Tab-separated table of all heavy atoms in Angstrom:
chain	number	residue	atom	x	y	z
A	22	LYS	N	-51.873	-78.271	-21.144
A	22	LYS	CA	-51.536	-76.922	-20.683
A	22	LYS	C	-50.375	-76.972	-19.696
A	22	LYS	O	-49.440	-76.176	-19.790
A	22	LYS	CB	-52.755	-76.262	-20.039
A	22	LYS	CG	-52.499	-74.850	-19.575
A	22	LYS	CD	-53.760	-74.227	-18.995
A	22	LYS	CE	-53.509	-72.828	-18.491
A	22	LYS	NZ	-54.711	-72.213	-17.921
A	23	LYS	N	-50.433	-77.916	-18.775
A	23	LYS	CA	-49.359	-78.044	-17.787
A	23	LYS	C	-48.042	-78.386	-18.485
A	23	LYS	O	-46.992	-77.836	-18.150
A	23	LYS	CB	-49.715	-79.110	-16.752
A	23	LYS	CG	-48.668	-79.257	-15.671
A	23	LYS	CD	-49.072	-80.288	-14.642
A	23	LYS	CE	-47.948	-80.432	-13.618
A	23	LYS	NZ	-48.185	-81.545	-12.707
A	24	GLN	N	-48.094	-79.288	-19.448
A	24	GLN	CA	-46.883	-79.655	-20.187
A	24	GLN	C	-46.312	-78.455	-20.939
A	24	GLN	O	-45.096	-78.252	-20.971
A	24	GLN	CB	-47.166	-80.794	-21.168
A	24	GLN	CG	-47.391	-82.116	-20.486
A	24	GLN	CD	-47.682	-83.224	-21.487
A	24	GLN	OE1	-47.955	-82.973	-22.657
A	24	GLN	NE2	-47.621	-84.449	-21.016
A	25	LEU	N	-47.193	-77.650	-21.536
A	25	LEU	CA	-46.730	-76.465	-22.249
A	25	LEU	C	-46.059	-75.486	-21.294
A	25	LEU	O	-44.975	-74.960	-21.588
A	25	LEU	CB	-47.899	-75.794	-22.964
A	25	LEU	CG	-47.576	-74.522	-23.752
A	25	LEU	CD1	-46.527	-74.792	-24.828
A	25	LEU	CD2	-48.838	-73.948	-24.363
A	26	LEU	N	-46.660	-75.267	-20.135
A	26	LEU	CA	-46.067	-74.360	-19.146
A	26	LEU	C	-44.727	-74.894	-18.638
A	26	LEU	O	-43.776	-74.125	-18.449
A	26	LEU	CB	-47.035	-74.124	-17.983
A	26	LEU	CG	-48.308	-73.356	-18.349
A	26	LEU	CD1	-49.278	-73.334	-17.164
A	26	LEU	CD2	-47.986	-71.950	-18.815
A	27	GLU	N	-44.645	-76.207	-18.443
A	27	GLU	CA	-43.379	-76.805	-18.018
A	27	GLU	C	-42.312	-76.653	-19.107
A	27	GLU	O	-41.140	-76.407	-18.801
A	27	GLU	CB	-43.581	-78.279	-17.667
A	27	GLU	CG	-44.345	-78.486	-16.384
A	27	GLU	CD	-44.724	-79.944	-16.145
A	27	GLU	OE1	-44.474	-80.799	-17.024
A	27	GLU	OE2	-45.277	-80.218	-15.066
A	28	THR	N	-42.719	-76.771	-20.347
A	28	THR	CA	-41.778	-76.597	-21.464
A	28	THR	C	-41.263	-75.170	-21.520
A	28	THR	O	-40.067	-74.941	-21.708
A	28	THR	CB	-42.453	-76.973	-22.800
A	28	THR	OG1	-42.874	-78.336	-22.724
A	28	THR	CG2	-41.508	-76.791	-23.965
A	29	ILE	N	-42.155	-74.208	-21.330
A	29	ILE	CA	-41.742	-72.800	-21.326
A	29	ILE	C	-40.775	-72.543	-20.176
A	29	ILE	O	-39.750	-71.867	-20.357
A	29	ILE	CB	-42.970	-71.871	-21.251
A	29	ILE	CG1	-43.761	-71.960	-22.568
A	29	ILE	CG2	-42.564	-70.432	-20.949
A	29	ILE	CD1	-45.117	-71.293	-22.525
A	30	GLU	N	-41.065	-73.103	-19.017
A	30	GLU	CA	-40.162	-72.939	-17.874
A	30	GLU	C	-38.805	-73.565	-18.163
A	30	GLU	O	-37.764	-73.017	-17.821
A	30	GLU	CB	-40.783	-73.540	-16.609
A	30	GLU	CG	-39.976	-73.293	-15.357
A	30	GLU	CD	-39.725	-71.815	-15.072
A	30	GLU	OE1	-40.607	-70.979	-15.374
A	30	GLU	OE2	-38.637	-71.491	-14.557
A	31	TRP	N	-38.812	-74.736	-18.799
A	31	TRP	CA	-37.556	-75.390	-19.175
A	31	TRP	C	-36.767	-74.518	-20.156
A	31	TRP	O	-35.550	-74.370	-20.024
A	31	TRP	CB	-37.857	-76.766	-19.771
A	31	TRP	CG	-36.654	-77.540	-20.187
A	31	TRP	CD1	-35.688	-78.062	-19.381
A	31	TRP	CD2	-36.270	-77.885	-21.516
A	31	TRP	NE1	-34.732	-78.711	-20.125
A	31	TRP	CE2	-35.077	-78.623	-21.439
A	31	TRP	CE3	-36.850	-77.656	-22.763
A	31	TRP	CZ2	-34.435	-79.120	-22.566
A	31	TRP	CZ3	-36.211	-78.161	-23.881
A	31	TRP	CH2	-35.013	-78.876	-23.775
A	32	LEU	N	-37.460	-73.913	-21.109
A	32	LEU	CA	-36.789	-73.008	-22.050
A	32	LEU	C	-36.179	-71.818	-21.314
A	32	LEU	O	-35.068	-71.389	-21.635
A	32	LEU	CB	-37.774	-72.512	-23.121
A	32	LEU	CG	-38.223	-73.530	-24.157
A	32	LEU	CD1	-39.356	-72.958	-25.012
A	32	LEU	CD2	-37.057	-73.961	-25.033
A	33	ARG	N	-36.894	-71.295	-20.341
A	33	ARG	CA	-36.363	-70.177	-19.547
A	33	ARG	C	-35.073	-70.588	-18.829
A	33	ARG	O	-34.084	-69.863	-18.842
A	33	ARG	CB	-37.384	-69.701	-18.526
A	33	ARG	CG	-38.535	-68.939	-19.078
A	33	ARG	CD	-39.414	-68.401	-17.926
A	33	ARG	NE	-40.783	-68.223	-18.308
A	33	ARG	CZ	-41.258	-67.182	-19.001
A	33	ARG	NH1	-40.456	-66.234	-19.379
A	33	ARG	NH2	-42.537	-67.108	-19.289
A	34	LYS	N	-35.095	-71.762	-18.191
A	34	LYS	CA	-33.916	-72.246	-17.464
A	34	LYS	C	-32.731	-72.450	-18.391
A	34	LYS	O	-31.586	-72.239	-17.994
A	34	LYS	CB	-34.238	-73.559	-16.749
A	34	LYS	CG	-35.137	-73.402	-15.553
A	34	LYS	CD	-35.426	-74.748	-14.920
A	34	LYS	CE	-36.421	-74.613	-13.799
A	34	LYS	NZ	-36.798	-75.913	-13.233
A	35	GLU	N	-32.996	-72.861	-19.629
A	35	GLU	CA	-31.938	-73.104	-20.602
A	35	GLU	C	-31.506	-71.822	-21.319
A	35	GLU	O	-30.597	-71.839	-22.132
A	35	GLU	CB	-32.376	-74.148	-21.638
A	35	GLU	CG	-32.576	-75.529	-21.069
A	35	GLU	CD	-31.288	-76.148	-20.563
A	35	GLU	OE1	-30.242	-75.992	-21.218
A	35	GLU	OE2	-31.326	-76.794	-19.493
A	36	GLY	N	-32.197	-70.710	-21.037
A	36	GLY	CA	-31.858	-69.445	-21.684
A	36	GLY	C	-32.375	-69.344	-23.113
A	36	GLY	O	-31.887	-68.534	-23.895
A	37	ALA	N	-33.365	-70.166	-23.460
A	37	ALA	CA	-33.875	-70.173	-24.830
A	37	ALA	C	-35.271	-69.571	-24.940
A	37	ALA	O	-35.883	-69.619	-25.995
A	37	ALA	CB	-33.893	-71.605	-25.361
A	38	ALA	N	-35.768	-68.987	-23.853
A	38	ALA	CA	-37.113	-68.413	-23.873
A	38	ALA	C	-37.052	-66.950	-24.302
A	38	ALA	O	-37.522	-66.056	-23.613
A	38	ALA	CB	-37.774	-68.552	-22.515
A	39	THR	N	-36.491	-66.725	-25.479
A	39	THR	CA	-36.427	-65.361	-25.995
A	39	THR	C	-37.826	-64.934	-26.429
A	39	THR	O	-38.721	-65.763	-26.618
A	39	THR	CB	-35.484	-65.272	-27.204
A	39	THR	OG1	-36.023	-66.070	-28.260
A	39	THR	CG2	-34.086	-65.755	-26.854
A	40	GLU	N	-38.001	-63.652	-26.623
A	40	GLU	CA	-39.301	-63.146	-27.060
A	40	GLU	C	-39.695	-63.767	-28.402
A	40	GLU	O	-40.842	-64.171	-28.594
A	40	GLU	CB	-39.253	-61.615	-27.180
A	40	GLU	CG	-40.591	-61.007	-27.528
A	40	GLU	CD	-40.574	-59.483	-27.537
A	40	GLU	OE1	-39.611	-58.885	-27.047
A	40	GLU	OE2	-41.544	-58.917	-28.063
A	41	THR	N	-38.736	-63.883	-29.303
A	41	THR	CA	-39.018	-64.476	-30.614
A	41	THR	C	-39.432	-65.937	-30.479
A	41	THR	O	-40.422	-66.369	-31.082
A	41	THR	CB	-37.782	-64.367	-31.527
A	41	THR	OG1	-37.448	-62.985	-31.690
A	41	THR	CG2	-38.037	-65.001	-32.881
Side-chain angles (χ1 to χ4, degrees):
K22 182 178 178 180
K23 182 178 178 188
Q24 288 179 347
L25 180 59
L26 293 173
E27 288 171 355
T28 301
I29 291 169
E30 186 57 34
W31 180 67
L32 289 171
R33 287 186 207 280
K34 288 179 185 176
E35 294 294 320
T39 64
E40 184 175 347
T41 300

